Amino acid sequence: MADNLSQSFDKSAMTEEERRHIKKEIRKQIVVFALMIFLTLMSFMAVATDVVPRSFAIPFIFILAVIQFALQLFFFMHMKDKDHGWANAFMISGIFITVPTIAALMLLLGVNKI
């Protein structure tokens, strides 16, 4: 029985369609990874150079971060897959709790500066 384990497998258990699907998914992830690197470089360039006006630099970086976060969730955390219903529900409820909390804290900080 142990002799069978030392032999190489001739054929994979995956079908040809599954192999094509996996290759397509890997290609998508590589493209998204390159896009995320590009977004990171854009945010560094926004800070290091004066291409983006200083008044718009923070919102610009925030927008790039939100785009990166969405790409991360959909392509690397597999939130686009159908079997992640509960994880999607928790993520959406977390966003609905976090965004008003941050907005309220920013308003409170703005009120204290006056």
Side-chain angles (χ1 to χ4, degrees):
M1 184 166 171
D3 294 334
N4 292 340
L5 295 177
S6 63
Q7 295 175 353
S8 63
F9 294 103
D10 293 333
K11 288 188 173 184
S12 173
M14 291 191 307
T15 63
E16 192 63 34
E17 184 176 333
E18 289 173 334
R19 285 186 195 153
R20 271 188 265 135
H21 178 72
I22 288 176
K23 284 183 181 178
K24 185 177 175 183
E25 190 70 26
I26 289 172
R27 197 174 309 127
K28 279 183 188 176
Q29 287 186 351
I30 289 172
V31 168
V32 169
F33 181 72
L35 181 62
M36 291 175 66
I37 295 291
F38 177 71
L39 291 174
T40 302
L41 290 176
M42 282 181 57
S43 62
F44 278 120
M45 293 297 285
V47 173
T49 63
D50 290 332
V51 173
V52 178
R54 286 183 176 242
S55 61
F56 187 64
I58 291 176
F60 180 71
I61 292 171
F62 186 71
I63 290 169
L64 292 178
V66 168
I67 292 170
Q68 261 190 324
F69 180 69
L71 289 174
Q72 181 84 23
L73 284 179
F74 282 107
F75 288 99
F76 294 109
M77 301 298 284
H78 301 283
M79 291 299 191
K80 64 181 177 50
D81 296 340
K82 292 180 181 175
D83 57 344
H84 289 93
W86 281 107
N88 284 340
F90 284 124
M91 290 295 294
I92 291 170
S93 63
I95 289 170
F96 277 115
I97 292 171
T98 304
V99 170
T101 303
I102 291 174
L105 288 173
M106 289 177 72
L107 287 174
L108 286 174
L109 290 174
V111 169
N112 284 339
K113 286 184 178 179
I114 295 175

